[in-house]
């Protein structure tokens, strides 16, 4: 009806909302022109620091924590979080994830519950590299129960450290077999720590709505 069209035209698009959300804390156009090189250098340094904080793995220890969200029948999200719950508050993380999902055409009233995997299972457990095969087998079992077997999943991975972890654990092959599209980018926690990262994340995932049609 005419009234419906009028209401739609008055409402800001979800794309506009996302651009506004992801652009927060970014410098203005005039500031970008004046400080572009300095901003890029600072962002690169901050991103590196954020990545280091995302994973507590060291040469002697293996510690990591992941969240798995089944957003829809064909769409899953994996998010890397600092080990044993040291991430930003759930409200901040959920708000950012919901804003991104809305811009991707996933209008959820609320987020589905996140399944979480910690290694080691307890902070008191042995986290030595000698247990890596056990950790990787457990991780594959956790993900294997949640990924679709027909190879039609679209998987968005928030966590730049995950790509290396998945390759070492064999999970990358499992994802390749169960998914038709996998994209790795920065974690939600890293974006909250370093808001300038949001722009590159959006550029990396903006094609996703076409894949979910």
């Amino acid at each position: 009806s005419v009234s419906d069209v009028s209401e739609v035209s008055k409402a800001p698009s979800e794309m506009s909302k996302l651009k506004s959300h992801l652009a927060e804390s970014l410098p203005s156009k005039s500031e970008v022109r004046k400080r572009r090189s300095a901003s890029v250098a600072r962002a690169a340094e901050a991103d590196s620091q954020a990545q280091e904080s995302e994973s507590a793995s060291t040469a002697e220890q293996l510690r990591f924590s992941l969240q798995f969200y089944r957003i829809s029948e064909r769409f899953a999200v994996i998010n890397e979080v600092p080990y044993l719950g040291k991430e930003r508050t759930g409200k901040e993380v959920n708000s950012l994830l919901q804003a991104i999902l809305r811009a991707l055409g996933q209008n959820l009233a609320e987020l589905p519950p996140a399944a979480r995997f910690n290694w080691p299972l307890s902070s008191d457990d042995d986290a030595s590299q000698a247990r890596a095969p056990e950790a990787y087998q457990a991780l594959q079992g956790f993900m294997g129960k949640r990924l679709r077997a027909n190879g039609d999943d679209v998987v968005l991975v928030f966590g730049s450290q995950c790509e290396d972890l998945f390759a070492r654990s064999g999970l990358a092959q499992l994802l390749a077999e169960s998914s038709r599209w996998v994209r790795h980018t920065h974690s939600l926690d890293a974006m909250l720590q370093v808001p300038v990262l949001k722009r590159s994340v959006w550029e990396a995932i903006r094609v996703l709505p076409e894949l979910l049609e």
Side-chain angles (χ1 to χ4, degrees):
S1 67
V2 174
S3 61
D4 291 335
V5 172
S6 176
E7 288 302 315
V8 170
S9 65
K10 291 178 182 178
S13 67
E14 290 299 337
M15 188 72 72
S16 297
K17 289 180 182 179
L18 179 78
K19 288 181 178 179
S20 175
H21 190 92
L22 296 185
E24 64 181 15
S25 301
L26 293 176
S28 65
K29 290 182 179 180
S30 60
E31 290 173 330
V32 169
R33 287 193 295 268
K34 294 177 182 178
R35 316 182 286 165
R36 185 178 300 274
S37 296
S39 296
V40 171
R42 287 196 299 272
E45 180 180 0
D47 185 19
S48 176
Q49 293 173 352
Q51 289 182 22
E52 290 175 3
S53 71
E54 285 176 7
S55 174
S57 297
T58 67
E60 295 76 28
Q61 294 189 325
L62 179 65
R63 297 180 185 273
F64 58 92
S65 191
L66 302 172
Q67 294 173 315
F68 183 96
Y69 297 87
R70 171 55 66 178
I71 304 301
S72 69
E73 185 179 358
R74 295 191 298 119
F75 182 28
V77 169
I78 299 171
N79 181 46
E80 179 185 12
V81 293
Y83 181 67
L84 286 186
K86 297 179 181 178
E87 68 273 17
R88 297 295 185 94
T89 65
K91 184 177 180 180
E92 288 180 290
V93 172
N94 289 346
S95 177
L96 177 57
L97 179 55
Q98 283 185 300
I100 293 173
L101 292 175
R102 281 196 301 269
L104 295 174
Q106 305 298 305
N107 298 308
L108 306 178
E110 60 183 21
L111 289 173
R116 183 153 180 166
F117 181 88
N118 297 317
W119 186 268
L121 303 180
S122 167
S123 59
D124 297 329
D125 289 347
D126 179 13
S128 67
Q129 288 287 348
R131 296 188 68 197
E134 182 183 351
Y136 298 156
Q137 182 177 11
L139 177 60
Q140 286 198 41
F142 173 85
M143 290 296 179
K145 292 178 181 179
R146 291 164 174 82
L147 293 168
R148 290 167 58 84
N150 63 2
D152 197 38
D153 261 338
V154 171
V155 182
L156 179 54
V157 183
F158 290 111
S160 51
Q161 298 293 320
C162 288
E163 196 161 7
D164 180 62
L165 172 64
F166 289 3
R168 287 185 283 109
S169 66
L171 184 56
Q173 181 176 351
L174 177 63
L175 281 170
E177 294 171 351
S178 64
S179 312
R180 64 188 179 98
W181 187 88
V182 180
R183 178 59 52 88
H184 291 262
T185 188
H186 303 289
S187 73
L188 297 170
D189 194 68
M191 283 185 273
L192 289 171
Q193 293 183 53
V194 190
V196 74
L197 299 177
K198 296 174 185 177
R199 183 186 296 277
S200 63
V201 170
W202 175 240
E203 291 300 321
I205 68 175
R206 63 189 305 170
V207 302
L208 201 149
E210 300 176 10
L211 299 173
L212 294 172
E213 289 181 351

